[in-house]
Amino acid sequence: METSQRQLTPELFEPVGEDFKDYERIAGPSIGFWRDSWQRFKKNKASLIGLVVIIALIVTAYVAPLLVPYSPYAQDMTRGYLGTSAEHLMGTDKFGRDMFVRVWEGMRVSLYIALLAAFFDLVIGVPFGAVSGLLGGKVDGVMQRIIEVLNGIPNLVIAILVMLVLNPGIVTISVAIGIAGWTSMARIIRGRVMQLRDQEFTLAARSLGAGRRRILTKHLLPNSLGLIIITLMLTIPSAIFYEAVLSFIGLGIQVPKASLGSLINDGYQELRFHSYLLWFPAAVFSLLMLSFNLLADGLRDALDPRMRK
Amino acid sequence: MAALNGNANVEPNDDVLLEVKDLRISFSTYAGEVQAIRDASFNLRRGETLAIVGESGSGKSVTARSIMRLNPEANTIVRGGEILFDGRDILQLSEKQMQSVRGRRIAMVFQDPMTSLDPTMRIGPQIMESLKKHLGMSGNRAKERAIELLKLVGIPSPEDRMRQYPHQFSGGMRQRVVIAIALSCDPEILIADEPTTALDVTIQAQILELFRELQERIGTSIILITHDLGVVASTAHRVAVMYGGKIIETGTLRDIFYNPQMPYTWGLLASIPLPTADRSLELIPIPGSPPSALDPPKGCPFTARCPYAMRICAEEMPEFTRFSDEHRAACWLHHQMAPNVEPPARIGGTR
Amino acid sequence: MLRYVARRLVIMFVTLFVIITVTFFISKALPGTPFADDKLTPQSREVLFAKYGLDQPLIVQYAKYMLQVAQGNLGDSFYFESRPVTQIILEQAPVSAFIGIQAVIMGLIPGLIFGVAAALRHNSVIDYTATAIAVAGISVPSFVLAPIMQYWIGFKWGLLPIAFFDSWAHSIMPSVALAVFVVAIVARYVRSEMLEVLGQDYVTLAKAKGLTYVAVVGRHVLRNSLIPLVTVLLPLVVGIVTGSIVIEQIFAIPGIGTLFVQSIQVNDYATILGTTIFYSTFFILAFLVQDILYAIIDPRIRVA
């Protein structure tokens, strides 16, 4: 140990008053779960970029049409197949429609799908899973069977079947997602609720007389928030992807409306001579998927309680 | 709490096996540098059990891992100090050299037996791994030895148990297996990091008894990391008290329990519920929580929670005062200019 | 263990039953009817309807159909000249299977390598690159990748044939397009599993035994990481099947995917039903296989 060089005066040995005892400062700021996660998230450059890109895409999707005087549906056969130019940032298609506007309309469709998937996840998936996990027993059994069966039917099949009955279009896709898109969220929430239910703090709350509803809202759900966010972030890209695939094979959004998937298909048809019709929507779509996936990964890493060290 | 004379009979000699000098270890994290160990010095004699006592966050586990160099390489920074073993500084050894030390000369038992064993490998091979690597034993010989070891730690029908998986063992049994693994190559030092914390009290007693027996029989030196003074009382020869990354008092078992010299140690002793104590005396828990390792306090780390704190405590770290050959503590109360302070009645009355 | 398997089988059958029922009724609700060819007179149509039993009440049709299916007969296609659906499926399935399996083989090894390397060298350049590739592989859909490949490799450079299925060379691009997805998903799973395992106590214990890095990873880490890998089987299968529907369109491969899409476009009920049932059975079987595999490999389930 180092020897103190200073002169030791008697005052130094006076007892210190109560006011000095600021435990908090010495103990260090207790970083809450959210702040800690946010800090971790910030460190992940890739997901930050993802977040920024998504925001940029969202903004552009709504702002872009205002910047350009063309409507996504206005045809002008005399201006077909024009390449990129200052007027038509992404060129025109076979019918002389401005691609730029169409691409962003397609993006709006994808964003709508994202919102929809999130909505169903939260409105059906979470309650379903939470109730199932909390109540257990027979109720859980029945609910679980339902999920297993729904899960067993491949999403694609459900989507297509719905598509067959109702005319292909935005409504049908919405219905399809509403039927089967929330099952993974339900399963995950159920698992989490069951895990939490068995932990001591639930027991503590119950012994204090908390009713089931209270336990659910004040204890179980807040503790599952991280998991909910993570799962949401994973369902969204796959929902967007599914819509695109369906539109690509012609079972989704129909002409004249535009979806990134259908645009890509159209572009694909023209690949030989007008490849730009493919590249633009493809690039935008890939960018969207990429950013969402990066964001999802980043959020998962940040919110994962096991990674807290 | 078991009787204090647990190990008073076995007299360890003066042969120093391990010497930790002025150890300072930090971790670099996304939040900054975490100074886990700010100054630790102690030594371990052959055949004795040294207990390192402290709260969670005091740095004791890090100390244990540092001796074995098991800290994550990527973000561990050795800020200073030496760990001398067999004439060499462990901190300077190459990874390869370290591998011949680990398991062979120094071995470790971890806290949670439920996660310490590979769930997909049978128990037998997990024990035989070290035997084959360090002692070069053949398959059959290793098997025999493994069975002997299982018997040694008190596991019935070892021949059958060898072929089972960890999930087929109870918590206490698993810990015994972990101990068997640790002892397999007759290490000179056994480091036990909170070996009984995850077990219930009855099993705890069994495991501690096992440690005592093994020490008697084989003469292994043990470093026992714990926060439980009851465990210390029943197994240790000497004790080192750790707080805020620093070792603040060391001494023999009697020194610490009958003549503690630091308010923190007093606090620790006072917060043990004693069945025999005078019920009129209050249980005195120590209020507050340990200091932040990210932004450690300048002076004595215990200042914020110390009922006897003086101004100088917050500004400078006190030096160690020697009370005997073995006993030393670092506290400003021992300075000639400090007021005279009596330890709380509860401590004095503990017999 | 046996009870476990039995339970899964029961669920499987129930699910299949539900699917077939639902599909049946849905396909009946389809707008448009088969034989919509204008050249047919109403009488001929009636005859055809009677021949295919389409004039009977729905319930009867349903019952008959279920019985039929139970016997493995999926009916006759309306579109493809009355050929039994089962036969058509059996003809075209192997094509899709070939491309799919080839894709898995092509993708599994690189995926494993990337994943393991990324986990072992966490937060290094290797990790970032591998993760980047994995994320890209999942994000860029096959229907974007495939045309790109067709354009450059097939069209501009003329290296490989771009359509149809006349030789093995024809299967390369489709399989590669699918394989990218495989690599991405496998790498991701392996990486995250390994990272979790690497943080476990028993790995630290293994190090504490003085084992070399190679031994620790080889003997303890790998085994515990790869076992959960079985759970990637299902998303993998789903992805490949979905992907192949698109790929087959793009590369004009005569597989099940094209059959499916075609049958939808011409309202060929029998084939739609048939392929749906086929797909569903396939998925459910994959699910079952995954569950069983898991039970076999993980000693905690096997030796309960």
Side-chain angles (χ1 to χ4, degrees):
Chain A
M1 311 224 57
E2 294 134 23
T3 349
S4 153
Q5 296 301 330
R6 50 193 287 188
Q7 271 295 45
L8 300 174
T9 62
E11 299 91 60
L12 287 172
F13 289 86
E14 273 159 37
V16 130
E18 279 298 323
D19 44 308
F20 173 76
K21 303 207 199 226
D22 47 300
Y23 299 134
E24 296 317 306
R25 192 210 79 85
I26 301 256
S30 66
I31 304 188
F33 175 64
W34 295 106
R35 200 127 52 95
D36 181 50
S37 305
W38 175 239
Q39 272 187 357
R40 244 173 326 139
F41 180 73
K42 276 193 298 189
K43 290 260 157 172
N44 189 341
K45 298 293 188 320
S47 40
L48 274 181
I49 295 180
L51 183 62
V52 166
V53 170
I54 291 182
I55 296 182
L57 288 174
I58 295 180
V59 168
T60 326
Y62 287 100
V63 163
L66 305 173
L67 301 175
V68 171
Y70 304 105
S71 134
Y73 311 116
Q75 300 185 11
D76 186 351
M77 296 306 279
T78 59
R79 301 174 68 92
Y81 291 129
L82 289 179
T84 23
S85 65
E87 274 188 38
H88 296 281
L89 287 172
M90 293 184 184
T92 61
D93 69 357
K94 180 161 61 180
F95 297 116
R97 297 178 289 202
D98 176 50
M99 283 305 288
F100 186 72
V101 178
R102 283 178 71 72
V103 164
W104 293 110
E105 161 154 346
M107 172 64 77
R108 287 200 295 277
V109 169
S110 297
L111 292 177
Y112 162 74
I113 296 286
L115 223 58
L116 198 69
F119 175 75
F120 280 119
D121 255 6
L122 290 174
V123 163
I124 303 186
V126 171
F128 197 89
V131 167
S132 181
L134 192 63
L135 293 181
K138 285 228 183 87
V139 176
D140 179 36
V142 167
M143 286 176 120
Q144 271 309 96
R145 292 303 144 257
I146 298 180
I147 291 201
E148 280 186 33
V149 170
L150 274 178
N151 247 357
I153 308 178
N155 277 351
L156 186 65
V157 173
I158 292 187
I160 293 191
L161 290 179
V162 174
M163 210 86 26
L164 299 180
V165 180
L166 311 171
N167 286 320
I170 198 71
V171 176
T172 23
I173 302 186
S174 313
V175 170
I177 295 183
I179 292 181
W182 50 268
T183 47
S184 27
M185 173 68 90
R187 262 184 152 191
I188 291 183
I189 292 296
R190 171 182 175 270
R192 180 85 172 134
V193 164
M194 287 180 113
Q195 195 183 43
L196 290 176
R197 178 187 67 179
D198 293 334
Q199 279 185 14
E200 283 168 4
F201 72 87
T202 330
L203 191 60
R206 280 179 64 192
S207 61
L208 287 175
R212 269 204 276 217
R213 171 109 79 98
R214 190 183 163 82
I215 293 184
L216 194 63
T217 46
K218 293 207 84 165
H219 297 283
L220 298 176
L221 282 183
N223 271 294
S224 318
L225 217 45
L227 209 49
I228 293 181
I229 295 182
I230 296 176
T231 318
L232 259 185
M233 284 290 121
L234 292 177
T235 17
I236 291 180
S238 65
I240 298 181
F241 187 82
Y242 269 116
E243 183 273 318
V245 170
L246 288 169
S247 299
F248 181 82
I249 53 180
L251 296 179
I253 307 285
Q254 300 289 298
V255 289
K257 285 188 172 287
S259 144
L260 290 173
S262 65
L263 287 176
I264 294 178
N265 184 27
D266 293 343
Y268 167 70
Q269 311 286 355
E270 315 270 9
L271 187 55
R272 272 196 107 177
F273 299 113
H274 306 287
S275 55
Y276 67 91
L277 287 175
L278 171 65
W279 303 142
F280 281 120
V284 169
F285 182 73
S286 304
L287 199 60
L288 180 68
M289 290 293 288
L290 200 63
S291 326
F292 256 117
N293 277 321
L294 284 175
L295 183 64
D297 272 358
L299 278 177
R300 191 185 36 200
D301 281 352
L303 289 170
D304 188 346
R306 289 170 298 177
M307 308 264 300
R308 291 192 75 192
K309 252 325 192 116
Chain B
M1 182 164 103
L4 207 44
N5 49 13
N7 260 322
N9 305 324
V10 183
E11 283 302 322
N13 52 32
D14 290 325
D15 193 3
V16 173
L17 210 45
L18 180 80
E19 204 179 332
V20 174
K21 279 186 180 174
D22 306 324
L23 190 62
R24 295 211 302 283
I25 299 209
S26 300
F27 296 115
S28 67
T29 69
Y30 60 85
E33 177 172 332
V34 171
Q35 299 178 34
I37 303 179
R38 294 193 287 140
D39 186 14
S41 303
F42 58 88
N43 51 33
L44 178 72
R45 313 249 168 84
R46 197 177 291 277
E48 78 167 349
T49 302
L50 170 73
I52 302 186
V53 194
E55 308 175 1
S56 7
S58 55
K60 41 195 216 301
S61 279
V62 179
T63 312
R65 282 166 197 246
S66 303
I67 299 178
M68 296 275 278
R69 291 255 304 266
L70 283 176
N71 291 315
E73 273 199 36
N75 51 8
T76 310
I77 315 173
V78 177
R79 287 257 172 246
E82 301 177 302
I83 301 180
L84 298 172
F85 176 63
D86 197 26
R88 296 181 298 177
D89 179 8
I90 284 192
L91 296 171
Q92 305 286 348
L93 293 179
S94 73
E95 177 64 18
K96 200 145 187 271
Q97 291 170 314
M98 213 44 227
Q99 279 167 12
S100 52
V101 170
R102 291 189 198 122
R104 175 77 184 88
R105 313 201 50 202
I106 310 182
M108 192 152 163
V109 171
F110 292 92
Q111 173 174 340
D112 188 356
M114 304 307 267
T115 55
S116 299
L117 295 168
D118 185 334
T120 56
M121 206 188 225
R122 298 180 207 260
I123 296 292
Q126 294 198 46
I127 305 180
M128 301 189 324
E129 255 187 320
S130 324
L131 294 171
K132 289 190 185 166
K133 157 137 188 151
H134 294 297
L135 304 179
M137 287 191 183
S138 73
N140 278 326
R141 178 74 194 101
K143 205 161 164 221
E144 279 169 26
R145 176 91 181 113
I147 296 182
E148 274 169 35
L149 283 164
L150 286 178
K151 281 206 195 108
L152 185 67
V153 296
I155 294 190
S157 348
E159 299 84 1
D160 297 327
R161 295 298 229 169
M162 285 270 289
R163 294 192 36 82
Q164 289 186 331
Y165 288 95
H167 65 270
Q168 296 171 282
F169 288 69
S170 72
M173 288 289 184
R174 282 191 227 197
Q175 196 65 310
R176 290 174 194 259
V177 173
V178 172
I179 296 174
I181 293 179
L183 295 173
S184 55
C185 304
D186 281 325
E188 290 152 70
I189 302 181
L190 178 68
I191 305 179
D193 188 357
E194 309 241 27
T196 52
T197 309
L199 304 168
D200 23 270
V201 180
T202 38
I203 312 285
Q204 219 180 64
Q206 289 174 12
I207 300 285
L208 292 177
E209 176 63 35
L210 184 60
F211 275 131
R212 267 205 300 276
E213 265 179 43
L214 293 171
Q215 188 167 64
E216 262 183 48
R217 271 215 250 172
I218 313 180
T220 329
S221 319
I222 302 181
I223 298 182
L224 187 65
I225 314 258
T226 181
H227 62 269
D228 184 345
L229 283 174
V231 168
V232 176
S234 52
T235 46
H237 293 111
R238 288 195 307 133
V239 182
V241 179
M242 194 160 185
Y243 188 79
K246 298 190 184 213
I247 301 250
I248 52 180
E249 182 166 3
T250 54
T252 65
L253 193 61
R254 304 190 95 87
D255 288 338
I256 298 292
F257 274 81
Y258 296 155
N259 192 20
Q261 295 294 330
M262 262 231 54
Y264 179 57
T265 323
W266 296 340
L268 278 181
L269 290 166
S271 53
I272 307 174
L274 289 174
T276 52
D278 184 347
R279 294 286 166 114
S280 63
L281 293 173
E282 286 175 2
L283 250 190
I284 313 172
I286 315 177
S289 36
S292 157
L294 261 178
D295 183 18
K298 239 188 329 174
C300 171
F302 188 56
T303 314
R305 304 163 72 184
C306 181
Y308 308 98
M310 303 178 286
R311 288 232 280 277
I312 190 164
C313 299
E315 302 188 16
E316 254 188 74
M317 184 65 200
E319 284 181 32
F320 275 99
T321 320
R322 279 206 167 273
F323 296 94
S324 74
D325 263 352
E326 296 296 337
H327 193 183
R328 56 180 197 142
C331 182
W332 284 113
L333 286 174
H334 306 136
H335 197 272
Q336 59 197 45
M337 293 211 256
N340 247 337
V341 169
E342 280 298 315
R346 219 164 180 265
I347 313 294
T350 325
R351 282 277 162 241
Chain C
M1 238 276 279
L2 229 49
R3 268 175 27 142
Y4 184 73
V5 173
R7 221 184 70 126
R8 300 329 259 108
L9 272 171
V10 168
I11 304 266
M12 178 177 131
F13 277 115
V14 169
T15 319
L16 255 171
F17 189 81
V18 170
I19 294 179
I20 300 178
T21 312
V22 169
T23 325
F24 179 84
F25 283 106
I26 286 185
S27 66
K28 288 301 180 188
L30 276 178
T33 47
F35 315 119
D37 208 342
D38 285 328
K39 298 196 210 101
L40 294 171
T41 63
Q43 290 91 342
S44 324
R45 222 177 271 155
E46 264 180 45
V47 169
L48 280 170
F49 266 43
K51 174 171 180 229
Y52 283 97
L54 290 172
D55 53 342
Q56 298 181 309
L58 220 49
I59 295 296
V60 178
Q61 288 190 45
Y62 174 60
K64 278 180 137 191
Y65 188 69
M66 293 308 272
L67 275 173
Q68 235 185 298
V69 172
Q71 293 169 344
N73 177 1
L74 290 170
D76 297 331
S77 162
F78 306 142
Y79 184 70
F80 297 105
E81 304 131 8
S82 306
R83 285 167 59 209
V85 172
T86 325
Q87 187 192 64
I88 307 179
I89 291 182
L90 287 178
E91 259 175 29
Q92 307 209 291
V95 176
S96 305
F98 180 75
I99 296 188
I101 295 180
Q102 194 171 245
V104 171
I105 296 179
M106 281 183 193
L108 200 58
I109 312 280
L112 280 174
I113 296 181
F114 277 136
V116 171
L120 290 181
R121 296 264 174 274
H122 190 38
N123 283 336
S124 70
V125 172
I126 297 186
D127 188 11
Y128 289 140
T129 338
T131 322
I133 295 182
V135 175
I138 294 190
S139 311
V140 178
S142 48
F143 55 85
V144 164
L145 203 57
I148 295 181
M149 287 174 64
Q150 254 189 345
Y151 190 68
W152 290 104
I153 304 181
F155 184 50
K156 286 241 157 134
W157 299 338
L159 286 177
L160 288 170
I162 50 177
F164 307 113
F165 196 60
D166 302 323
S167 70
W168 177 67
H170 283 87
S171 75
I172 297 185
M173 275 209 291
S175 288
V176 171
L178 281 177
V180 170
F181 173 74
V182 175
V183 170
I185 215 178
V186 168
R188 256 178 150 202
Y189 261 78
V190 169
R191 177 180 175 276
S192 79
E193 269 312 313
M194 266 195 106
L195 281 179
E196 183 169 341
V197 168
L198 282 171
Q200 294 287 338
D201 271 352
Y202 55 85
V203 171
T204 319
L205 187 83
K207 287 194 207 156
K209 287 190 205 170
L211 298 176
T212 59
Y213 188 64
V214 172
V216 171
V217 170
R219 255 183 264 156
H220 296 277
V221 177
L222 278 182
R223 200 172 20 193
N224 279 283
S225 313
L226 295 182
I227 287 181
L229 205 54
V230 173
T231 37
V232 86
L233 194 70
L234 201 62
L236 197 64
V237 164
V238 171
I240 292 201
V241 169
T242 328
S244 66
I245 292 186
V246 168
I247 297 280
E248 285 175 20
Q249 294 273 68
I250 296 182
F251 289 100
I253 308 276
I256 294 279
T258 2
L259 185 66
F260 191 44
V261 174
Q262 261 182 322
S263 61
I264 294 178
Q265 283 165 350
V266 300
N267 278 335
D268 183 353
Y269 295 156
T271 318
I272 297 177
L273 275 183
T275 33
T276 311
I277 294 175
F278 177 76
Y279 273 140
S280 308
T281 321
F282 189 65
F283 280 136
I284 294 175
L285 264 177
F287 200 31
L288 187 69
V289 166
Q290 175 189 282
D291 268 352
I292 296 184
L293 260 182
Y294 212 94
I296 295 182
I297 304 184
D298 188 340
R300 281 169 289 193
I301 306 182
R302 186 171 23 126
V303 191

